[in-house]
Amino acid sequence: MSAFVDPARMAGHSGMEKGEVLLRVDNVSLSFGGVKAITNISFDIVKGEVRAIIGPNGAGKTSMLNVINGFYHPQEGTITWRGKVRRKMKP
């Protein structure tokens, strides 16, 4: 059994068209006191796409993931999941 799932074969199973934006991160910034963890980060993830967050230690990778999953709340910017802006998500 293969762990790979072909996104093209999944079209129609979720009610979304291939290429439709699933996640939009728009101008997100997060600070802890005077320390800026992430500043003005923006990107989209569309159905069928795989993305990675890479960078050196202390670059804000975990902070970005924690903003996306709702553990942290950004001081600026928005997270949109399937067309709905997420505010004050519960982790």
Side-chain angles (χ1 to χ4, degrees):
M1 180 161 70
S2 174
F4 176 76
V5 176
D6 182 4
R9 290 181 58 203
M10 296 302 291
H13 290 281
S14 67
M16 298 190 74
E17 296 296 321
K18 184 175 179 183
E20 188 171 347
V21 174
L22 294 175
L23 175 71
R24 174 166 284 140
V25 175
D26 191 34
N27 295 317
V28 168
S29 295
L30 177 70
S31 298
F32 299 101
V35 178
K36 294 180 180 180
I38 51 179
T39 305
N40 294 327
I41 302 297
S42 296
F43 60 89
D44 291 341
I45 298 177
V46 298
K47 182 175 176 142
E49 182 175 57
V50 176
R51 293 274 182 126
I53 299 175
I54 62 171
N57 291 343
K61 301 176 299 290
T62 301
S63 295
M64 184 74 252
L65 291 172
N66 283 331
V67 167
I68 291 169
N69 71 32
F71 190 75
Y72 294 149
H73 305 290
Q75 282 83 28
E76 296 179 18
T78 57
I79 305 291
T80 306
W81 172 249
R82 292 188 170 190
K84 294 182 181 180
V85 175
R86 300 301 216 164
R87 301 192 194 281
K88 299 291 182 183
M89 292 171 50
K90 295 180 183 176

